[in-house]
Every structure is written in structure tokens, then in C-alpha cells.
Amino acid sequence: LICFEVFQLGLLQVSGVLVLIALLWAGVAYRLGKRYLQALADALDRRTFRPVELTVPDASSLQVLRNGLSNPNAAVVSVCLSFLEEVDPQTVEAALPQLLAHPHPAVRLAAVETINRLQLTRAVPLLVSRLSIEPSPTVRCALLTSAGVLGDAASEDLIMQFMHDPDPIVRQGAWAGLLSHTASKGHDVVEAALTAALESSDAQARIFAADVIATSGSVSLFPLVIELLQDDVAAVRRAGLRTAGRLQHPQLWPWVVKCVDDHRTRAPALKTLVSAGSGALPAISAGLDAYADDPSVQLRLIRVAGQLDDDHALALLESKASLPDEQARTAVLTALRSCSYQAPSAMTATIANQIDEEIAYAAWLAAALVELKPGASANGTAIPPTALIHAALLGQLVRVRIRLICLL
């Protein structure tokens, strides 16, 4: 319109202007495309690229990622491999010989894990042929496990040759690989060996058994993990907790909760419960009741439930909002508030009663603080005799305020 009305251009002249604009935009798009591909390649080299940033890959971007599989930098290859595994598995499968021969063991390990995730039974010969030349015990462990999971009877015979390998990591992979076939001779041999290891007086043997079960991911072996979680040696229990987190069997969670009571296993137990998600909530709920006399355990279990932040966790926290211990009650209400919890209208009366109780308790604390206001000590010491009681009551009053804020 501007061309016609202001500049008084004819139809042919306007067409020429539009062609010129189109050419300019084409040039800009071409330059931006080249800069984009260069920026993508630079980001890969600097290891600042994340696959999530490339949600809709185009042919040029995919080619950059395919070229990245040949990069000598292990981190670049890992990023490219993880993304191509999702969007272009054919390219990944074709590149497996190259990836399994990469000079960096992290890339070779990632290639084996990709074969497992994609269930590439056609790649079993590659795994078997790599076994004889692989120098890294960790990668050999993964090769044996993957060959056991994806292979056949011939692979099982080969894996059994590594059952007594002097390297425990390689031996672990062989045992885990043989466990993958439940109706095989190798499975029965390894299961008997695991039972013997758990009965051994050597704690390292029991830890090895836990690592084998974790590597295999064999859920049917959860009864053996329960034994590990009750072991007298804390290191064995910690290994059992790692295995429980790997198996994710619901019957393991009550035993994991028991490990929260021991400072030597507390951190891994809490981590395992968080990894279990809402599946562990029945065990957490039972633990809150079982440890009614131990607020320290209750507090930690409440924090786990608060981290889960789903409807089942909120329902559990809601049911525990009136715990008798004030620290536990404060933790419950704080967790609910952090999850943006909104109480249903049916609970209005209950919450109002709880607010009244908290206000009455706060009034009692405030009166006690006035009565116990610390003054000068009788014997001239710096700390008056009522100072500790005053500080304790003040701390309780602060927690009451927190609870009231959460309830309102």
C-alpha cells in the first residue's frame, strides 16, 4: 500500500521490490543457518550444549551430531550419542563398531549401555568380539552383562569362562550377565554362589554379592537384598541400600526405613527412599508410626515425603499434620506449604481447631517468657540461671509462629 500510495510505484516495480526483499531475507536466512550450525558445533566442542536445547532437529543439525560421534572428546561423543539414541537410532547402530573402538573408555561404556537400552540383539557379536581386546575392567563388566542379557546359550558359555576372573569388576559383570536367564545352568550356578557369599564371614564377599545383584537388576533376588539390609556390618548394609535403589521392589522399603535409624546408613537410606518415589510412602507412613518416640527419624521421613510432591505424598503429610511432637508437626506443615498444598473445604473445622490450639499454646509460651525473663544472676555470673529455659521457650514460640503461618 505504501509503495502504491506514497511512492506511486507501478505493479511491475512493486514486484521488483518484493523480489529484492525476498532475496535479502534468503541471504539473511542462509547466513543465520551457517552461523547456527557453527554455533552448534562450537557448543559441542565447549561441552556447553545440552540435548534438551535441540527439541526439533533438522537435517543439518543431525549431521553435526552424527559428525560428533567421531570427535576425540569423550564428552562431545556422549552428548551426541544420547541425543541420537532418541531421534536417530539407525545412525547409532551403524556407528557402534566405531564407538566400541573409541580410545576413551567412557565412550565405549556409553556405547554398551546404549546397546542395552535399545535391546540391539544384533550387536551381541560386537560385544563378544570386543571382550578379548577390551583393556578397561569397567567396560568388560558392562560387555559381559550386556552379552548375558541380549545373548543366547553360546554367549552364556563364553560368559561362564569369566566367572572366576581375578578382577572382581570383571567377575561381577560375568555373574550379573548369567543371572539374566532364569532357566539356565549359569543362572543356577550364580544364584548358589550368591547364597554362599551372603553366608560368608567375609564382609567383602557380601558386598560383592550386593553389587552383582544391583548390576543384574534381577528383581526376583529381593529376598537376598533384605538379608543384606539386616547385615551386622554397616558397609554391607550400605551396599544393600544401593541395590535396593536399583531393584525398586516394594517389599524392600520397610527395611530401608529401618536403616534411617542408624547414622552410618542414614544418608544412603534417605537417598534410596527419595528414588523410590510414591512407592515408598506406605513404608514411610508405617515408619512415622513406628518411630513415634524418635522425632529425629520422623523429621527425616517427613522431609522425604515432602520432596516427593505428589498427591499420595500430600495425602500422607495431611494425615500427619497433628503429630504430637511439635518439631515433627512443624516439619509436616512446612512440607505441605512448600508443595503449595491447599486443604479441602471438609477440613476447615479441623484446621480452625488446630489454629485455636496453636494460639493457646503460643499464649502460654508468651506468658512463661514474661515470667522467666532473664535478669541479673544472683552470683554475678554472666548467664542467669533461667536463660537456657528462656531460650528453649523462645524457640518453641518461633515454631508455633511457623505453624500458624502454614495453617492460615
Side-chain angles (χ1 to χ4, degrees):
L1 183 62
I2 293 175
C3 292
F4 284 118
E5 299 294 336
V6 177
F7 295 104
Q8 302 294 315
L9 298 180
L11 183 61
L12 185 61
Q13 293 169 314
V14 171
S15 299
V17 171
L18 292 175
V19 169
L20 180 60
I21 293 173
L23 289 174
L24 288 173
W25 273 113
V28 170
Y30 175 75
R31 292 288 300 274
L32 287 175
K34 290 185 65 176
R35 292 289 299 274
Y36 164 74
L37 294 176
Q38 184 60 47
L40 178 60
D42 292 344
L44 288 171
D45 287 336
R46 294 194 305 270
R47 288 172 279 179
T48 59
F49 170 76
R50 295 177 297 173
V52 72
E53 296 170 355
L54 195 63
T55 55
V56 184
D58 56 89
S60 300
S61 301
L62 284 175
Q63 189 56 49
V64 171
L65 294 171
R66 291 178 187 128
N67 294 340
L69 295 178
S70 303
N71 196 297
N73 189 307
V76 173
V77 178
S78 296
V79 169
C80 296
L81 180 60
S82 65
F83 189 73
L84 289 171
E85 181 183 335
E86 298 291 333
V87 299
D88 191 9
Q90 293 81 8
T91 294
V92 172
E93 185 172 359
L96 285 175
Q98 162 195 334
L99 295 170
L100 288 171
H102 195 278
H104 202 289
V107 175
R108 302 197 297 274
L109 182 60
V112 177
E113 292 170 347
T114 299
I115 291 171
N116 262 338
R117 284 191 295 270
L118 296 179
Q119 294 290 294
L120 297 176
T121 54
R122 296 184 297 273
V124 171
L126 288 174
L127 300 173
V128 171
S129 62
R130 183 68 197 177
L131 267 173
S132 60
I133 57 174
E134 176 56 53
S136 167
T138 302
V139 180
R140 292 179 76 193
C141 172
L143 288 167
L144 288 164
T145 303
S146 186
V149 171
L150 302 174
D152 52 16
S155 301
E156 182 182 47
D157 292 338
L158 173 66
I159 296 170
M160 288 192 72
Q161 299 175 20
F162 293 88
M163 266 200 70
H164 303 287
D165 193 276
D167 192 310
I169 298 178
V170 176
R171 194 162 67 247
Q172 175 183 320
W175 287 34
L178 292 170
L179 282 173
S180 60
H181 297 287
T182 55
S184 67
K185 176 185 174 183
H187 178 277
D188 296 339
V189 170
V190 172
E191 191 165 355
L194 286 174
T195 303
L198 290 177
E199 295 173 352
S200 170
S201 59
D202 183 6
Q204 289 302 316
R206 303 197 296 277
I207 292 173
F208 176 77
D211 292 339
V212 168
I213 298 171
T215 303
S216 72
S218 183
V219 179
S220 62
L221 297 177
F222 78 89
L224 301 183
V225 182
I226 292 176
E227 292 185 35
L228 291 164
L229 294 174
Q230 300 177 81
D231 200 278
D232 294 333
V233 179
V236 177
R237 295 199 299 277
R238 287 193 292 268
L241 288 167
R242 292 193 298 270
T243 306
R246 175 73 174 82
L247 299 190
Q248 295 286 309
H249 194 285
Q251 293 192 37
L252 295 172
W253 307 139
W255 301 98
V256 173
V257 168
K258 289 179 181 293
C259 291
V260 177
D261 193 23
D262 188 334
H263 70 92
R264 296 169 297 179
T265 55
R266 182 172 297 144
L270 294 172
K271 181 179 178 180
T272 302
L273 289 173
V274 171
S275 74
S278 59
L281 287 174
I284 292 174
S285 178
L288 289 171
D289 295 334
Y291 289 97
D293 297 330
D294 191 342
S296 65
V297 174
Q298 283 191 323
L299 285 172
R300 289 175 172 87
L301 293 177
I302 290 166
R303 288 169 188 153
V304 170
Q307 289 182 58
L308 302 182
D309 192 12
D310 64 9
D311 291 341
H312 297 93
L314 290 177
L316 171 62
L317 291 170
E318 180 186 84
S319 68
K320 304 297 181 182
S322 300
L323 286 172
D325 182 80
E326 67 155 342
Q327 288 187 339
R329 198 162 65 249
T330 304
V332 169
L333 294 173
T334 304
L336 286 170
R337 183 177 177 84
S338 67
C339 298
S340 302
Y341 168 78
Q342 294 291 328
S345 56
M347 290 190 64
T348 302
T350 302
I351 294 174
N353 290 336
Q354 193 167 349
I355 290 174
D356 290 341
E357 292 174 2
E358 295 290 356
I359 291 174
Y361 185 43
W364 182 88
L365 288 170
L369 285 168
V370 172
E371 293 293 331
L372 292 172
K373 184 176 181 180
S377 60
N379 55 6
T381 58
I383 302 176
T386 59
L388 295 178
I389 300 175
H390 187 277
L393 292 175
L394 187 59
Q396 289 184 335
L397 184 58
V398 169
R399 286 191 287 272
V400 171
R401 290 172 181 170
I402 292 171
R403 292 196 294 273
L404 284 171
I405 290 171
C406 294
L407 287 166
L408 292 173

